[in-house]
């Protein structure tokens, strides 16, 4: 779901974007070539199926506030403040997908399985000025 809007009030402009999505699927893997096919990227953990797990949902709100300032004639300045991930939500977009380590023929559970290892980033705020003529 993506929703956006623009609201103008006199010389002020308010815009926002809300993005919400369910968590992406991922598969439990084995850190090694369990099936002996020479490809270590397609070995699913025993007892699991492809895409059996999901990352947490992602919700992000971005906002922009702008103010138009006439400078005379056709020249106009605009002061802008923008915030991305305004709520500073920890949007996880990666986890440890290795369920087992493989040593010879022995599978060893990996304790960090399912733990976050990547996020979409923290809140970012930026200020800008623009002149139109």
């Amino acid at each position: 779901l993506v929703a956006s809007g623009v609201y103008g009030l006199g010389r002020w402009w308010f815009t926002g974007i809300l993005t919400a999505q369910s968590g992406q699927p991922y598969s439990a893997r084995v850190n090694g070539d369990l099936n002996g096919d020479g490809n270590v990227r397609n070995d699913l953990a025993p007892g699991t199926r492809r895409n059996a797990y999901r990352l947490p949902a992602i919700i992000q709100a971005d906002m922009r506030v702008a103010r138009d300032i006439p400078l005379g004639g056709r020249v106009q300045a605009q002061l802008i403040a923008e915030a991305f991930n305004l709520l500073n939500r920890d949007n996880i977009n990666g986890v440890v997908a290795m369920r087992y380590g493989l040593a010879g023929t022995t599978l060893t559970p990996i304790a960090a399985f399912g733990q976050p290892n990547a996020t979409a980033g923290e809140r970012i705020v930026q200020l800008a000025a623009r002149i139109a003529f």
Side-chain angles (χ1 to χ4, degrees):
L1 166 77
V2 177
S4 64
V6 177
Y7 180 73
L9 183 63
R11 297 181 193 269
W12 290 88
W13 294 94
F14 302 90
T15 61
I17 300 173
L18 175 66
T19 305
Q21 72 179 47
S22 60
Q24 295 294 308
Y26 70 97
S27 302
R29 304 248 179 237
V30 173
N31 190 11
D33 190 12
L34 183 64
N35 61 7
D37 67 352
N39 184 355
V40 297
R41 300 191 47 86
N42 66 351
D43 293 292
L44 295 177
T48 65
R49 65 185 199 288
R50 186 174 177 271
N51 294 331
Y53 300 90
R54 285 199 168 268
L55 296 172
I58 291 177
I59 300 172
Q60 181 163 322
D62 302 332
M63 185 175 173
R64 178 180 186 169
V65 178
R67 163 93 177 167
D68 293 332
I69 302 170
L71 297 177
R74 302 180 112 199
V75 180
Q76 178 172 290
Q78 188 176 59
L79 300 177
I80 303 164
E82 295 177 317
F84 304 97
N85 192 11
L86 180 66
L87 304 176
N88 205 28
R89 190 170 192 277
D90 197 16
N91 288 311
I92 297 166
N93 61 4
V95 296
V96 176
M98 293 299 162
R99 181 76 175 121
Y100 296 104
L102 180 64
T105 59
T106 304
L107 289 174
T108 305
I110 295 177
F113 173 71
Q115 296 298 312
N117 63 6
T119 68
E122 63 279 345
R123 178 187 308 126
I124 297 173
V125 177
Q126 64 186 21
L127 303 174
R130 152 182 121 133
I131 296 181
F133 52 92

